[in-house]
C-alpha cells in the first residue's frame, strides 16, 4: 500500500468512520467474483449510504489518484471487481432505495444497490415486472454496468433495451444524468448507452430508470429432449422463423442435464434438452405450443414434459439457474470457469459441436448451456486451479472457442462482459474501435482511477 492510498484511507475514515473497512475478510470478499480468477482485494472498502457520499468518495480518490472499483453483489464472471492496483472498493449496497414506480408509464427509478429480486418483490400486485434475469440476484447497478441479460432476453431484451436513463458519478465526482423517461429521443449523443456495459470504467452508476413490462396473462413451461444437439438447435431456428414469440428457450447438453438431475433432483432424460416457456393469452399460448410441438416432432423431439403449476415452473427454472452449483458437483473440489460467446443463430450448432470436440480432445469437463434463442452459449470448465497443465489446456480451448465465434461474425461475450479476462479478445473483435474505446476512457477518466485494467486494459 503506497502513501497516497494510506492518506486516502485516512481522509475517508475521517468522515465515514466504521463505514470504511480494512478488515481482511471484508476486503477479500470485494476482490472475489464467482469464478476461479485470483482474488485481488482492495486496500479498503467504503460503504456510502447516499449519492452525495459516493461523490465525495470519488472526489477524494481522484484528489489522491487512488484506484476505485465499484462493487454490487459480486456475481460477475470475468474478474470485473478485482482490485488489480489495490485502492478503494465502493460498495453500492447502501444505495437501496426504490425512488419511484410509475405504473401508468411502465417505468421505475431505482438506486444502484437495489437487486432485481427486490424490485420485482416491490412490484408485486401491480401487474408489472422487471424481466431481465441473469440468474443471480444481481444489483441493478451491476446489471447496468455489465449490460446483463439472461433467460428472458429474447422476448424482453437485455439491459441495453431496458435502461432509459441513468444517474452517474463521473471520475472527478461530478454527478450527471443521462437520458429521459421518454420512450424515444433524437437528442444528441446517446450517453446512456455509453455507460451501459462500461463496467464502471467511465463512471459509477448510482441510479437507473428502467422499463417495466406487463406480466403475461398465461404462462406454460416444458422440457423436450432430442437425439442430437443439432436437432434441438434446428428446432429453435425453425420456431423463430415461424414467428413464434417464445418467452424463453434454453439449451442444455447431455452432461449439463446430468448435472442438473443430480443437484436439483430432477428426472430428465440425459440428452440434449430444450427448456421452453410460453407467454401470452391462453389462445396465444395454445397456438405457440401447437406450432412448437410440430416442429420439435419433425426433429425427433421426445414428448414434452410440462410444468403447469407456478411452483413447478419455478422449480424448473430454479434448476436452470442453479447450474453453477450443479456443475461443481460434477467434480467436487474443482473451481468453475464459466465463459460465453454469442454467434448468429444459424452458426450455433456448428459452434457448440466444435466446442464439445475441443473439450473432449483436451480431456476436460465442461458442460454446455445456452440462451439458444439469441445465439448465446456458455461452457463451464471445471478445473483444478493448482494444475498448471490443465489450466493451459482450458485457456487454449477457451481461446479457440472465442476465435471461432469471431470468425463467423459473433462476439467474444454475449452477456458476461470483458472485465480483465477478455481484454485481448475485445481488442481482436473491435479492431480500430478498440482505440476509440481507449480514447473515450482517457477523455472521461484521464487519471485512470476507475476500475483500472478492465475492458480496455491499462492505458
Amino acid at each position: 500500500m503506497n502513501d497516497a492510498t494510506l492518506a486516502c484511507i485516512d481522509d475517508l475514515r475521517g468522515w465515514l468512520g466504521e463505514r470504511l473497512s480494512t478488515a481482511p475478510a471484508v476486503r477479500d470478499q470485494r476482490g472475489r467474483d464467482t469464478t476461479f480468477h485470483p482474488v485481488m482485494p482492495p486496500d479498503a472498502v467504503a460503504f456510502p449510504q447516499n449519492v452525495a457520499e459516493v461523490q465525495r468518495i470519488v472526489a477524494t480518490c481522484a484528489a489522491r489518484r487512488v484506484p476505485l472499483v465499484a462493487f454490487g453483489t459480486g456475481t460477475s464472471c470475468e474478474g470485473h471487481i478485482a482490485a488489480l492496483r489495490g485502492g478503494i472498493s465502493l460498495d453500492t449496497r447502501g444505495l437501496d432505495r426504490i425512488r419511484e414506480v410509475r405504473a401508468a408509464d411502465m417505468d421505475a427509478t431505482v438506486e444502484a444497490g437495489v437487486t432485481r429480486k427486490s424490485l420485482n418483490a416491490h412490484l408485486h400486485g401491480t401487474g408489472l415486472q422487471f424481466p431481465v434475469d441473469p440468474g443471480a440476484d444481481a444489483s441493478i447497478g451491476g446489471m447496468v454496468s455489465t449490460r446483463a441479460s439472461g433467460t428472458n432476453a429474447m422476448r424482453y431484451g437485455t439491459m441495453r433495451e431496458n435502461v432509459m436513463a441513468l444517474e452517474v458519478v463521473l471520475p472527478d465526482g461530478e454527478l450527471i444524468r443521462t437520458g429521459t423517461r421518454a420512450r424515444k429521443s433524437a437528442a444528441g449523443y446517446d450517453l446512456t448507452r455509453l455507460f451501459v456495459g462500461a463496467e464502471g470504467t467511465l463512471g459509477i452508476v448510482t441510479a437507473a430508470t428502467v422499463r417495466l413490462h406487463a406480466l403475461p396473462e398465461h404462462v406454460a413451461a416444458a422440457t423436450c429432449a432430442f437425439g442430437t444437439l443439432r436437432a434441438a438447435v434446428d428446432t429453435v431456428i425453425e420456431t423463430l422463423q415461424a414467428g413464434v414469440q417464445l418467452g424463453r428457450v434454453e439449451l442444455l447438453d447431455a452432461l449439463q442435464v446430468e448435472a442438473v438431475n443430480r443437484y436439483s433432483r430432477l428426472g430428465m432424460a440425459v440428452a440434449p434438452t430444450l427448456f421452453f416457456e410460453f407467454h401470452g393469452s391462453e389462445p396465444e399460448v395454445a397456438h405457440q405450443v401447437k406450432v412448437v410441438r410440430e416442429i420439435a416432432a419433425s426433429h425427433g423431439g421426445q414428448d414434452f414434459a410440462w410444468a403447469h403449476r407456478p411452483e413447478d415452473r419455478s422449480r424448473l427454472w430454479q434448476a436452470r439457474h442453479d447450474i453453477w452449483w450443479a456443475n461443481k458437483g460434477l467434480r467436487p473440489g474443482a473451481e468453475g470457469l464459466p465463459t460465453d460467446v454469442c454467434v448468429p443463430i444459424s452458426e450455433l450448432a456448428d459452434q457448440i459441436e466444435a466446442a464439445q470436440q475441443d473439450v473432449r480432445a483436451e480431456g476436460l469437463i465442461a458442460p454446455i448451456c445456452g440462451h439458444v434463442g439469441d445465439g448465446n452459449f456458455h461452457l463451464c470448465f471445471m478445473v483444478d486451479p493448482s494444475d498448471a497443465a490443465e489450466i493451459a489446456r482450458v485457456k487454449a480451448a477457451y481461446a479457440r472457442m472465442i476465435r471461432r465465434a469471431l470468425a463467423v461474425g459473433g462476439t467474444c461475450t454475449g452477456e458476461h462482459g470483458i472485465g480483465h479476462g477478455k481484454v485481448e479478445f475485445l481488442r481482436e473483435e473491435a479492431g480500430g474501435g478498440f482505440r476509440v474505446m481507449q480514447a473515450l476512457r482517457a477523455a472521461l477518466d484521464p487519471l485512470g482511477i476507475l476500475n483500472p485494467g478492465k475492458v480496455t486494459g491499462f492505458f
Side-chain angles (χ1 to χ4, degrees):
M1 193 185 310
N2 60 33
D3 290 344
T5 301
L6 287 169
C8 185
I9 290 172
D10 286 342
D11 291 344
L12 294 173
R13 183 175 282 119
W15 59 277
L16 283 171
E18 293 183 355
R19 291 190 288 117
L20 190 286
S21 176
T22 55
V26 175
R27 293 167 47 232
D28 183 83
Q29 183 187 1
R30 272 71 183 180
R32 178 192 304 273
D33 64 14
T34 58
T35 70
F36 88 118
H37 286 105
V39 178
M40 304 188 76
D43 296 307
V45 181
F47 296 90
Q49 293 181 335
N50 55 56
V51 175
E53 289 188 346
V54 174
Q55 290 182 265
R56 189 171 176 183
I57 291 166
V58 174
T60 301
C61 288
R64 297 286 188 181
R65 298 196 173 195
V66 171
L68 182 64
V69 181
F71 180 91
T73 60
T75 55
S76 55
C77 298
E78 294 293 345
H80 299 83
I81 57 175
L84 300 180
R85 288 186 169 170
I88 308 299
S89 172
L90 189 152
D91 191 311
T92 62
R93 287 182 294 180
L95 305 177
D96 59 357
R97 286 164 283 278
I98 297 174
R99 294 182 181 174
E100 189 173 4
V101 173
R102 295 165 286 263
D105 291 322
M106 299 177 70
D107 67 50
T109 300
V110 304
E111 293 186 344
V114 173
T115 67
R116 66 174 187 87
K117 287 185 179 179
S118 63
L119 174 55
N120 278 316
H122 186 85
L123 294 172
H124 184 72
T126 66
L128 298 172
Q129 62 170 329
F130 178 68
V132 184
D133 178 5
D137 189 20
S139 67
I140 298 299
M143 291 171 67
V144 169
S145 296
T146 56
R147 202 184 301 141
S149 56
T151 59
N152 287 321
M154 64 177 297
R155 185 176 183 95
Y156 299 103
T158 71
M159 288 301 284
R160 180 183 65 188
E161 290 78 37
N162 285 285
V163 175
M164 303 172 69
L166 291 173
E167 181 182 89
V168 182
V169 176
L170 296 180
D172 61 358
E174 180 185 359
L175 181 69
I176 66 167
R177 293 174 177 82
T178 74
T180 69
R181 290 178 48 234
R183 288 285 163 151
K184 65 179 183 179
S185 173
Y189 299 137
D190 192 344
L191 296 181
T192 301
R193 298 297 174 272
L194 179 63
F195 289 102
V196 175
E199 301 182 15
T201 62
L202 303 179
I204 294 178
V205 173
T206 54
T209 297
V210 296
R211 293 177 186 264
L212 304 178
H213 297 259
L215 286 166
E217 175 187 328
H218 187 66
V219 178
T223 61
C224 184
F226 292 82
T228 67
L229 185 146
R230 184 173 293 273
V233 173
D234 287 345
T235 294
V236 175
I237 292 173
E238 287 192 27
T239 297
L240 297 177
Q241 290 172 339
V244 176
Q245 292 199 347
L246 294 168
R248 45 186 170 177
V249 57
E250 296 286 299
L251 172 69
L252 282 64
D253 75 352
L255 180 59
Q256 189 64 84
V257 171
E258 181 181 344
V260 167
N261 279 346
R262 289 184 192 177
Y263 184 81
S264 297
R265 299 180 182 178
L266 301 181
M268 297 185 293
V270 180
T273 299
L274 293 176
F275 282 33
F276 289 101
E277 192 164 270
F278 306 91
H279 296 179
S281 65
E282 285 202 45
E284 287 172 337
V285 168
H287 174 70
Q288 293 169 8
V289 169
K290 178 179 181 294
V291 172
V292 174
R293 273 184 178 277
E294 292 172 353
I295 293 172
S298 73
H299 290 283
Q302 300 175 20
D303 288 342
F304 278 59
W306 291 94
H308 291 289
R309 298 181 302 171
E311 56 268 35
D312 293 334
R313 292 198 305 273
S314 295
R315 181 170 179 244
L316 183 66
W317 288 106
Q318 188 60 50
R320 165 61 183 89
H321 289 325
D322 285 343
I323 273 176
W324 170 253
W325 306 108
N327 289 343
K328 296 194 81 168
L330 289 172
R331 189 180 178 186
E335 294 293 335
L337 173 59
T339 185
D340 81 312
V341 294
C342 191
V343 298
I345 194 169
S346 62
E347 301 284 349
L348 187 61
D350 286 343
Q351 295 289 314
I352 294 178
E353 287 179 347
Q356 287 180 318
Q357 290 169 7
D358 253 1
V359 167
R360 288 192 294 267
E362 297 287 0
L364 302 169
I365 297 175
I368 292 176
C369 63
H371 312 312
V372 64
D374 49 23
N376 186 196
F377 74 95
H378 307 257
L379 264 72
C380 187
F381 294 98
M382 305 311 300
V383 301
D384 177 359
S386 66
D387 186 336
E390 182 180 14
I391 295 298
R393 297 199 307 276
V394 167
K395 288 183 176 179
Y398 182 13
R400 288 194 294 270
M401 180 184 75
I402 290 173
R403 292 191 170 108
R404 281 193 299 266
L406 297 182
V408 298
T411 176
C412 65
T413 176
E415 60 185 13
H416 285 182
I418 299 299
H420 67 87
K422 287 186 173 180
V423 172
E424 291 310 309
F425 296 121
L426 177 62
R427 188 189 300 272
E428 291 181 32
E429 178 178 327
F434 191 79
R435 292 193 299 276
V436 176
M437 294 182 199
Q438 289 180 315
L440 285 168
R441 183 169 183 176
L444 287 176
D445 184 14
L447 301 178
I449 66 166
L450 287 191
N451 213 2
K454 315 300 169 49
V455 185
T456 61
F458 297 107
F459 67 94

